[in-house]
DNA sequence: CGCGCGGCTTGACAATGATCAAGCATCCAA
DNA sequence: TTGGATGCTTGATCATTGTCAAGCCGCGCG
């Protein structure tokens, strides 16, 4: 493993305070895997044998039930996924597949659980991580239940602009098909929402979106920091 | 505080392994409150000054944004709510109000965080609790995104029957208006879903529901343990 | 006890969003 | 380079769900 990658993982709040020796143990037990795009990593319902860390690329978490599918989230570097299932030694509630060619670190769950039992600082870091994950999903629920499709799309654009340092032109980081599914709508409806928002301060050109009137966009889509602020 | 209440709280996985002296500290710092029905306990966006424990009665967690409201969960005894906000010292993402006359224990968040820092077993119990809460919300998301309204209602009935030990007749534990909102629909649509399910193995009489053909109900609503099993 | 309010049901109608289908553009593999 | 597959857009149509409204019932309060 490259030192830059190792340091990037070390800098994650989850691992930052772990005892150095135990961090070494985790990494020594782990596997680095380079995976092409569109590869299934794990299937919902299967045991969570590894904690996954996305180093490069991106991973889609999705769920299926009786013929229906829905994307739930995209995990980008440097992030972990399936921490809760790992800690609980429980089956995973979502499947995961690579969206782009990806570099992943797979840390065996037994090692994660061992360090969790042995290192108090790790246990506390896991608390913070899980609390953050929990609040993230609660906010997604609120987004779904309290907003129309157009509002969800508009607020996604606003968040993306904020995340891009306020740039006027932002690029969608993944395809519109997945974005639609994450936002809880069909691709057709996403196209229509983009169309509708062109009267409210944006210009859409494929994966590029220019925000020409942020005020109009916010008036239409009504951002709420208790849903949209990634730090809350 | 009555000994039975104290023991019931002590028996919660969250507190079961906490050092006895520290558990005493928590309870000594706490307040018992008897609250009538329909009283707002906390408003979303406010700081989470207390961890709440429902000892009797029930509490509705709900959210509002720009004129729209939605119920998110009902908390029943013996359970806590707003643990994540307490631990993160963050604003609460949902409001809470009593559904029925309730008896609550309010434990100051500063005390919770102090014991979290001092008692490893508490930290670990919090991990398990948060992981469980996180998985619960993920399952709610899947319920919303992967099912129709009728399926959501039908699976709610199935879960209620399982929770009632398989009884043929079950009672809705709270009003249909709140149930509709938790399941992500209007009260009118809930009534219609109950009506539709009368052709699929149930008989509805006010808050009583008789399941006369569980097989037909399951065939219609397609339960999935990765959504519906409360232990997963 | 009576009245008012809220919950719930039901019907009519409207709105939102999904489905189906066709066409275009792009990307990837042979 | 070419062909096929996939993503995306757009339109027509359909289905699900929300809104509005009225009526009934039960509960709580004066």
């Amino acid at each position: 493993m490259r030192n830059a990658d190792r340091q990037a993982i070390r800098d994650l709040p989850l691992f930052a305070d772990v005892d150095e020796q135990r961090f070494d143990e985790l990494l020594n037990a782990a596997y680095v895997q380079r995976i092409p795009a569109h590869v299934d990593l794990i299937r919902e319902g299967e045991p969570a044998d590894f904690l996954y860390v996305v180093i490069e690329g991106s991973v889609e978490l999705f769920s299926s039930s009786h013929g229906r599918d829905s994307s739930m989230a995209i995990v980008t570097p440097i992030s972990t996924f399936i921490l809760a299932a790992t800690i609980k030694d429980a089956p995973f509630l979502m499947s995961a597949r690579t969206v782009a060619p990806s570099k992943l670190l797979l840390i065996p769950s037994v090692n994660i659980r061992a360090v969790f039992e042995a290192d108090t600082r790790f246990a506390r870091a896991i608390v913070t991580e899980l609390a953050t994950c929990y609040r993230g999903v609660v906010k997604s629920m609120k987004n779904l239940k309290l907003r129309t499709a157009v509002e969800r799309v508009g607020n996604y654009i606003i968040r993306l602009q904020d995340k891009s340092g306020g740039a006027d032109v932002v690029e969608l980081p993944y395809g519109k098909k997945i974005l639609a599914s994450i936002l809880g709508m069909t691709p057709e409806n996403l196209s229509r929402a983009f169309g509708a928002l062109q009267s409210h301060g944006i210009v859409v050109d494929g994966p590029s979106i220019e925000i020409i009137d942020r005020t109009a966009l916010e008036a239409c889509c009504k951002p709420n920091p208790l849903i949209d602020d990634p730090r809350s």
Side-chain angles (χ1 to χ4, degrees), chain A:
Chain A
M1 172 183 285
R2 293 182 354 208
N3 269 347
D5 291 341
R6 180 200 164 94
Q7 191 59 46
I9 294 162
R10 184 75 163 132
D11 288 340
L12 283 179
L14 185 61
F15 297 113
D17 294 335
V18 177
D19 172 80
E20 187 71 27
Q21 184 177 350
R22 297 200 207 276
F23 183 65
D24 278 347
E25 282 171 29
L26 289 179
L27 289 204
N28 288 340
Y31 309 88
V32 175
Q33 299 242 31
R34 285 195 173 271
I35 317 247
H38 312 305
V39 172
D40 287 346
L41 301 174
I42 189 169
R43 206 170 311 173
E44 67 192 305
E46 287 180 354
D49 294 325
F50 299 97
L51 175 69
Y52 288 72
V53 185
V54 182
I55 299 176
E56 286 168 25
S58 56
V59 170
E60 178 195 3
L61 303 180
F62 65 100
S63 187
S64 310
S65 187
H66 296 97
R68 293 197 199 101
D69 299 282
S70 186
S71 302
M72 308 292 276
I74 296 282
V75 186
T76 53
I78 307 282
S79 302
T80 68
F81 62 93
I82 74 164
L83 176 62
T86 303
I87 292 295
K88 290 204 69 172
D89 196 13
F92 194 42
L93 295 178
M94 296 180 268
S95 305
R97 64 193 160 206
T98 50
V99 177
S102 300
K103 184 170 166 190
L104 307 176
L105 183 72
L106 284 60
I107 311 179
S109 297
V110 289
N111 296 72
I112 291 285
R113 286 196 291 275
V115 176
F116 166 60
E117 294 293 340
D119 187 327
T120 301
R121 286 160 302 184
F122 192 47
R124 292 204 183 91
I126 290 177
V127 164
T128 303
E129 182 80 9
L130 284 175
T132 302
C133 291
Y134 169 77
R135 288 166 71 86
V137 182
V138 168
K139 285 186 286 187
S140 292
M141 280 279 290
K142 290 168 70 172
N143 199 27
L144 268 186
K145 294 183 88 170
L146 294 171
R147 286 177 168 156
T148 64
V150 170
E151 286 167 343
R152 299 201 287 283
V153 174
N155 278 291
Y156 176 81
I157 294 168
I158 289 169
R159 293 195 294 272
L160 189 58
Q161 187 183 34
D162 291 341
K163 189 175 168 186
S164 306
D168 288 343
V169 180
V170 294
E171 297 287 321
L172 296 179
Y174 40 85
K176 289 181 181 177
K177 194 175 166 197
I178 293 179
L179 176 60
S181 192
I182 288 175
L183 295 178
M185 67 191 73
T186 60
E188 292 94 335
N189 235 34
L190 179 70
S191 291
R192 293 193 180 94
F194 277 130
L197 288 172
Q198 305 231 63
S199 311
H200 292 278
I202 70 167
V203 177
V204 181
D205 177 22
S208 292
I209 302 178
E210 185 178 4
I211 296 113
I212 55 176
D213 188 345
R214 166 93 177 210
T215 305
L217 185 60
E218 292 190 352
C220 168
C221 303
K222 291 169 282 195
N224 173 348
L226 292 176
I227 301 178
D228 302 301
D229 187 348
R231 294 160 307 178
S232 76

